[in-house]
Amino acid sequence: MSKGSAVSRKSISLSALLAIVATAMLGAPAQSYEVGAVTDGGSIEGTVFFRDTVPMKKIIPTKDTAVCGDPRDEPLIRVGADQAVESAVVYLAEVATGKEWPAVSAPPVLDNVKCRFEPQVQVIPAGPLEIVNSDPVLHNTHGYYGTRTAFNLALPNEGQRIPTELPRPGAVRVDCDAHGWMEGWIYVADNPYYAVTGADGKFSITDVPPGDYTLVAVQPHTGPIEMPVTVTAGQPTALEIELKEQ
Ligand SMILES: [Cu+2]
């Protein structure tokens, strides 16, 4: 784990970041994705790195401490020993046509676990989302597209599940009106060519129709990185991506 400086990010700067991310995801003219046969698709395999000083956030639970834990410093970017970034989002922008969306048997879930969001970062298609409370304390889960509320749900009971919906692509920041330090991110994709990096910083995007694309990599506390990528029929394209401090 990289050692970071004690930098507190204020909500205003997060809003600014969000606006940039939302622009990156939504700035292009609306173009609806169409599913079509992918013949001799290629893949994009890569690793995401962050080599700057990791910003830290001081967390001081002021209530429900038996569940929420003690004061602590947490990194705003999860960076491993080799500086690979966990939970970075990588996607192709403005894809007109390609593979099917992944099959799902149940809506994606955003869970409140020990006053954290699980997963903290996820990518979902536009549509249903289920908010869950696994804690024996009240959470009030509040999602925003930019500054506009996307959902605002009180979950007073352990085991409670409330269905909601994120109807359009974009970045959604999630916080909790009961615990001000809680923060999560949901990226609503406009096409199925996306991935979230694992603990090793690696990702893979498969079945990409051969051609030229713009790849975007983003982590909630870095600027989005855009780069051109060419996918060749039946071949993997290897990438190393370095995120930079905003
Ligand atoms: Cu909460």
Side-chain angles (χ1 to χ4, degrees), residues 18-34 89 91-95 101 122-128 144-150 165-173 185-194 218:
L18 181 62
I20 292 165
V21 172
T23 301
M25 297 186 87
L26 300 171
Q31 175 188 46
S32 59
Y33 178 77
E34 287 184 18
V89 170
Y91 63 93
L92 297 181
E94 299 169 50
V95 180
W101 290 85
Q122 64 182 310
V123 186
I124 69 170
Y144 303 83
Y145 285 107
T147 55
R148 186 176 300 177
T149 290
E165 190 154 342
L166 288 174
R168 60 184 172 82
V172 175
R173 185 175 61 85
W185 295 83
I186 301 169
Y187 293 85
V188 183
D190 64 6
N191 73 71
Y193 291 103
Y194 59 78
V218 65

Side-chain angles (χ1 to χ4, degrees), residues 112 115 117 137-140 176-179 182:
N112 290 269
C115 309
F117 291 115
V137 299
L138 163 74
H139 290 292
N140 193 107
C176 174
D177 294 338
H179 307 106
M182 293 178 66

Side-chain angles (χ1 to χ4, degrees), residues 109-112 130-141 153-163:
V109 165
L110 178 65
D111 198 354
N112 290 269
E130 193 169 40
I131 312 297
V132 178
N133 183 7
S134 292
D135 288 338
V137 299
L138 163 74
H139 290 292
N140 193 107
T141 307
L153 299 167
L155 297 99
N157 303 318
E158 184 176 9
Q160 198 164 2
R161 312 178 75 90
I162 302 181

